[in-house]
Amino acid sequence: MAIPNQLPNTEVVLLEVEILLTIIFVGAWGGFVSYFIGKEKAQQSDAHISISNCLKQVVISCFTSFLLSALAIEKGFSFNMVLLAAGLGGVFAAPILKILGDKIKKYIIDASLRE
């Protein structure tokens, strides 16, 4: 499986389905890891709430891993590095989204002050 580079005339990156599913799976696995790391800190007795929190973490981790892997593909990294970015995006989803949110807030505030 090779990740094709961008086409010369467009901004489209074509991904094979296997690559996309692998990225999503690695992100989901990172979400499980992140959930189990955080679960040791906060014990919950209700199984329904625990499963719900786990699924929420997996969805957020898949989103963040997709963002980081898209960035890695854009930078022209190898397939292994794209998977590494997807895994790190899955495990460290909350801090990455917090940093990204802070940068966007700063950009919006700076843009509003210039007007």
Side-chain angles (χ1 to χ4, degrees):
M1 287 188 287
I3 298 174
N5 292 333
Q6 288 185 340
L7 300 173
N9 296 334
T10 63
E11 295 292 327
V12 176
V13 175
L14 302 173
L15 287 178
E16 295 177 6
V17 175
E18 294 88 8
I19 294 172
L20 183 62
L21 291 177
T22 305
I23 289 170
I24 291 171
F25 176 76
V26 169
W29 185 256
F32 282 119
V33 169
S34 178
Y35 173 74
F36 288 124
I37 288 172
K39 185 174 173 143
E40 291 178 3
K41 296 176 185 174
Q43 292 293 331
Q44 296 172 348
S45 59
D46 191 14
H48 175 66
I49 294 173
S50 181
I51 292 171
S52 173
N53 289 339
C54 182
L55 290 177
K56 289 176 192 176
Q57 180 65 42
V58 167
V59 169
I60 291 169
S61 295
C62 285
F63 172 72
T64 308
S65 68
F66 182 75
L67 287 178
L68 282 184
S69 62
L71 184 66
I73 291 170
E74 179 67 27
K75 296 289 184 180
F77 291 165
S78 68
F79 180 64
N80 291 335
M81 292 303 289
V82 170
L83 288 181
L84 180 67
L88 289 174
V91 174
F92 299 112
I96 290 171
L97 289 176
K98 180 165 177 41
I99 291 168
L100 183 64
D102 291 342
K103 288 190 181 250
I104 290 173
K105 284 178 194 176
K106 184 178 183 288
Y107 177 76
I108 291 173
I109 291 172
D110 288 345
S112 66
L113 290 177
R114 290 182 188 169
E115 294 178 351

